[in-house]
Amino acid sequence: MELPKYDLHCHTTASDGALEPLVLLERAKQKQIQILAITDHDTLAGIRQFTDQDLEGIQLIPGVELTCAWNQRVLHIVGLGLNVDSEELQGYLSNLAELRLARARKVADQLISMGLPDLYQAAKEKGGDGVIGRPHFAQVMFEQGLVSSEQQAFKKYLGVGKKGDVKMEWPSLTEALAVIKNAGGVSILAHPTKYKMTFTKLRGAINDFTDAGGDGIEVSYPGMTPDHHFQLLRIAKEKNMMISAGSDFHSPNHTWTDLGKYPPLKSDENHVLNYLLN
Ligand code: AMP
Ligand code: MN
Ligand code: MN
Ligand code: MN
């Protein structure tokens, strides 16, 4: 079966995306996307803004990208096909919103210790009604001329191992997988090659992920090498995992990607859409 045009990973202003949910939806229509999963970091607020009328034939898959902890590292788990009315999921997400706010204060303090001004309030305003994250700090730092680009802000201050990458007590991988399952969703390990892990370490993460009930893995997303793509396909096959793909779209300013843009998949075998559409 040929799959319709789809994107199963993207962000709105409800988290660190640049486009309001309705604007993102318009863009998806322009790009002829037929199936769209909105997967904001730790919130469902974007999805909640749509009515059936807005969708105009686009099939919306309620999703989320959960931040969780595994072996002192942070993993991102995409949940797809969620019941957005799940009280357990809602409680889980409001806890995460509080954690993120507490983290923002700590990030600001770390940046102060590196000689920057207190950016807490400005970053919070950037986040607007959405959940706050490091990209909001990066945007403020760029706007205030403290760094030459948002990427530079991550490189110097906010990225893995930098002072602004504040350690938090995120929920565990097991907890993240359980809340997705209990809300009727499937869990997908997001962008596996973007955690700066060796493949040996990554295999360990994937083993723990499937042991804890994880369902699938992203095998296609922007910025991956063909070699990574084939290694991930092989792992998915070996471990009988579902496969998923998405652009991880955040902003039209990110010229290297767009909605629906990621390396094409040759086969739809075990594709998560086969499961979600049935
Ligand atoms: P947070 O959710 O606050 O932990 O921030 C993670 C988000 O920051 C990711 O989803 C990306 O959107 C963004 N991000 C992470 N690393 C980088 C980087 N090196 N350069 C630009 N953006 C990044
Ligand atoms: Mn993001
Ligand atoms: Mn992610
Ligand atoms: Mn993402």
Side-chain angles (χ1 to χ4, degrees):
M1 150 181 136
E2 180 141 356
L3 292 171
K5 195 164 176 196
Y6 65 92
D7 196 326
L8 299 179
H9 188 154
C10 66
H11 298 271
T12 75
T13 48
S15 65
D16 57 5
L19 303 184
E20 296 280 343
L22 280 167
V23 181
L24 183 94
L25 192 63
E26 273 319 304
R27 194 179 185 88
K29 288 175 192 167
Q30 281 162 18
K31 307 273 170 196
Q32 275 98 41
I33 305 271
Q34 292 164 280
I35 303 175
L36 180 71
I38 292 188
T39 56
D40 274 309
H41 297 285
D42 303 327
T43 181
L44 299 168
I47 297 158
R48 288 187 190 290
Q49 296 188 21
F50 298 129
T51 63
D52 287 348
Q53 263 170 3
D54 295 329
L55 294 175
E56 283 179 358
I58 284 201
Q59 183 162 356
L60 181 74
I61 293 177
V64 73
E65 182 175 12
L66 294 180
T67 312
C68 71
W70 174 78
N71 276 5
Q72 330 285 351
R73 289 167 185 271
V74 172
L75 295 180
H76 287 179
I77 309 297
V78 167
L80 297 174
L82 301 165
N83 167 14
V84 296
D85 297 322
S86 157
E87 280 177 21
E88 183 189 343
L89 179 57
Q90 286 172 14
Y92 185 97
L93 295 177
S94 51
N95 173 49
L96 272 168
E98 276 172 36
L99 260 180
R100 280 182 167 273
L101 204 54
R103 177 175 72 149
R105 185 60 262 171
K106 290 185 185 174
V107 171
D109 289 340
Q110 288 299 319
L111 298 179
I112 291 170
S113 81
M114 286 186 282
L116 296 184
D118 187 351
L119 302 175
Y120 176 74
Q121 209 52 42
K124 239 183 102 182
E125 277 160 30
K126 263 276 163 243
D129 296 333
V131 297
I132 189 167
R134 284 174 290 163
H136 300 116
F137 280 93
Q139 287 158 22
V140 167
M141 286 156 82
F142 175 62
E143 275 176 19
Q144 297 194 7
L146 300 165
V147 289
S148 58
S149 67
E150 290 168 29
Q151 271 96 307
Q152 201 60 29
F154 272 90
K155 211 165 172 186
K156 217 168 151 190
Y157 297 104
L158 300 165
V160 180
K162 302 295 164 192
K163 265 186 144 181
D165 179 27
V166 175
K167 295 277 166 281
M168 290 302 287
E169 289 277 321
W170 300 112
S172 67
L173 171 62
T174 314
E175 289 170 313
L177 295 176
V179 77
I180 290 170
K181 187 147 285 176
N182 294 341
V186 287
S187 49
I188 306 289
L189 179 63
H191 44 62
T193 56
K194 295 224 166 149
Y195 300 109
K196 300 199 166 138
M197 287 189 227
T198 61
F199 250 89
T200 309
K201 189 109 210 153
L202 182 56
R203 276 186 176 272
I206 293 170
N207 286 338
D208 286 357
F209 173 84
T210 52
D211 286 351
D215 299 299
I217 186 171
E218 285 184 352
V219 296
S220 177
Y221 42 88
M224 76 187 320
T225 63
D227 180 55
H228 285 161
H229 175 65
F230 289 113
Q231 293 207 54
L232 292 174
L233 275 177
R234 188 176 329 134
I235 293 175
K237 192 155 203 151
E238 254 172 47
K239 298 193 62 78
N240 197 25
M241 299 167 85
M242 295 187 212
I243 57 171
S244 184
S247 65
D248 204 0
F249 177 80
H250 281 75
S251 163
N253 295 338
H254 296 175
T255 51
W256 58 89
T257 185
D258 208 331
L259 285 175
K261 216 167 148 191
Y262 43 82
L265 283 179
K266 288 223 168 63
S267 153
D268 68 354
E269 204 184 323
N270 260 348
H271 199 293
V272 65
L273 275 181
N274 296 328
Y275 174 86
L276 289 169
L277 299 180
N278 281 329

